[in-house]
Amino acid sequence: MGKKVTYGIEYAKKPNIAKVVKQHITQYHTLLSEKRSTKAAETIVNITEWVLDVSDEVDDPEDEEILHYLLYVIKYSIRAVKLLEPEEHADLLSRAHNNMCQCYLKLHIYASAIQHGLITINLFKQRNDESRMKSNLQNAYKILGDIYFTKSLNKTESRYSDYENAHKFYKLEKDVIDSMVLSDIEDPEQDDLKRLEQSSHFNLGVMGSKIPSLYTQAEKNLQAAITLAHKLEDFSAERSGWWELGNLYKRAGQHDNVKFCQNEEFNVTKKHGFKQDQFYCFQEKSKYNVPICPFFCFLIELWN
């Protein structure tokens, strides 16, 4: 899990979602009529993963067709789960619940996303597949953290406890990552483990920076995320790290450190050609420096 796959279903950039889903639902009913219930459930798991894969590729996360089919495959995933026995089909069950967790998250139905996320974690812990256990748990904990983080951004759904819950699951993810070796990752590339570490430090830092009692830990995590991003030459992540560290120092009232982070962030955007971010970065810098025309100052910085 965590690597994108298409399960043998070929599609272009704009697939005919209705056609592909219909084919698999027809296959599902055929398998049921042949009393091949496990294979029928697997068909639903596969098409749900495909719809999720497609949803990750579209530019608009609120695309109406995508949202429609996310709900549609949830309906069939619920049916598929009823066909499976926990003792015999732990793998398919964990995939099915993990799929529903992600579908509900994309639909902003947070309570259901959390429910299926917790079920997924329990199923992973019960499985005997030691080779994928750590990778699966890492991914599941991260998804739970992402759910609470996304929920915290929703004005009608957010609660202060979302920050603490997101931090809790990101910390559980970090504990798993700390115990992993590269071979725990499916089809790994050389820097995959370091990328997981970088992302984990960043997420812990962002959520910790919203909880005053965790400011010191958050600072260390964001600094570690910046260092790893630089070593990985992921300069977009490095820029984001400086931005979030600056936000932490703003909350803590450490204005000299804010200015330092803003300068570092601007230098990264300038050095690595993030032109769309440069003026915004300079606007932020101007709030803590000489209050003259931001655009004029911006042109001077670019000229230098």
Side-chain angles (χ1 to χ4, degrees):
M1 306 189 74
K3 298 274 186 181
K4 285 188 179 180
V5 290
T6 57
Y7 309 96
I9 307 168
E10 295 184 4
Y11 61 96
K13 289 185 178 179
K14 294 182 179 179
N16 188 332
I17 301 176
K19 180 180 178 180
V20 177
V21 171
K22 183 178 179 180
Q23 289 172 344
H24 282 72
I25 297 303
T26 299
Q27 182 183 7
Y28 162 78
H29 286 296
T30 300
L31 290 166
L32 277 184
S33 69
E34 297 171 352
K35 301 190 184 305
R36 299 169 64 189
S37 58
T38 301
K39 200 68 179 175
E42 185 179 8
T43 300
I44 297 304
V45 170
N46 286 344
I47 190 58
T48 304
E49 288 171 347
W50 181 80
V51 172
L52 282 165
D53 194 24
V54 173
S55 73
D56 287 338
E57 299 297 329
V58 298
D59 294 330
D60 180 9
E62 303 300 322
D63 181 285
E64 289 186 6
E65 184 182 29
I66 292 292
L67 297 180
H68 168 76
Y69 280 103
L70 288 171
L71 280 170
Y72 191 73
V73 294
I74 285 173
K75 179 178 71 174
Y76 277 93
S77 293
I78 292 170
R79 297 179 186 180
V81 164
K82 294 178 181 179
L83 299 173
L84 301 171
E85 295 294 333
E87 296 80 10
E88 299 177 25
H89 309 112
D91 178 65
L92 276 178
L93 272 172
S94 59
R95 286 170 61 192
H97 283 289
N98 187 54
N99 291 343
M100 286 191 280
C101 171
Q102 294 183 67
C103 288
Y104 280 123
L105 174 57
K106 289 176 180 289
L107 292 164
H108 312 298
I109 305 174
Y110 302 111
S112 295
I114 292 166
Q115 175 190 357
H116 288 282
L118 292 173
I119 292 172
T120 300
I121 289 170
N122 287 333
L123 287 168
F124 281 151
K125 289 180 177 180
Q126 294 169 18
R127 285 169 55 178
N128 295 320
D129 184 7
E130 293 294 333
S131 63
R132 297 273 74 87
M133 169 69 81
K134 291 181 180 179
S135 181
N136 288 336
L137 277 176
Q138 173 269 317
N139 185 63
Y141 284 137
K142 182 182 183 303
I143 291 173
L144 261 296
D146 290 347
I147 292 169
Y148 280 109
F149 172 68
T150 306
K151 184 173 178 286
S152 75
L153 301 176
N154 188 302
K155 292 182 179 179
T156 58
E157 296 282 345
S158 64
R159 302 289 185 273
Y160 181 76
S161 60
D162 292 337
Y163 299 147
E164 295 176 341
N165 284 321
H167 189 274
K168 178 181 76 173
F169 284 106
Y170 286 143
K171 180 63 170 64
L172 288 169
E173 181 204 7
K174 182 64 167 59
D175 291 342
V176 175
I177 291 172
D178 288 344
S179 73
M180 291 173 69
V181 295
L182 191 60
S183 60
D184 289 320
I185 301 173
E186 185 178 1
D187 300 326
E189 296 180 4
Q190 181 178 354
D191 291 329
D192 277 357
L193 197 54
K194 288 190 179 298
R195 293 188 187 281
L196 285 179
E197 292 173 3
Q198 191 280 330
S199 174
S200 178
H201 279 299
F202 180 79
N203 290 333
L204 280 169
V206 171
M207 297 317 301
S209 71
K210 300 178 186 298
I211 304 171
S213 62
L214 297 179
Y215 277 0
T216 300
Q217 292 179 36
E219 179 184 28
K220 292 178 180 177
N221 275 304
L222 288 171
Q223 288 170 342
I226 291 166
T227 299
L228 281 169
H230 186 79
K231 289 180 179 178
L232 290 164
E233 297 185 353
D234 186 346
F235 301 114
S236 177
E238 183 182 356
R239 186 201 69 78
S240 297
W242 286 117
W243 162 256
E244 292 294 347
L245 187 58
N247 286 338
L248 169 61
Y249 288 136
K250 283 182 189 177
R251 296 185 184 106
Q254 299 178 27
H255 299 297
D256 286 341
N257 284 336
V258 173
K259 289 188 283 186
F260 176 80
C261 291
Q262 289 176 339
N263 285 331
E264 291 298 316
E265 181 191 4
F266 183 77
N267 290 337
V268 171
T269 64
K270 185 178 177 181
K271 182 176 180 180
H272 299 289
F274 300 139
K275 295 188 181 298
Q276 292 183 342
D277 297 320
Q278 287 178 26
F279 184 61
Y280 180 73
C281 288
F282 201 82
Q283 280 183 311
E284 289 297 303
K285 282 180 62 179
S286 70
K287 296 176 182 178
Y288 286 85
N289 291 279
V290 180
I292 60 177
C293 174
F295 184 70
F296 180 70
C297 294
F298 175 63
L299 292 177
I300 294 174
E301 287 277 343
L302 284 183
W303 182 262
N304 292 333

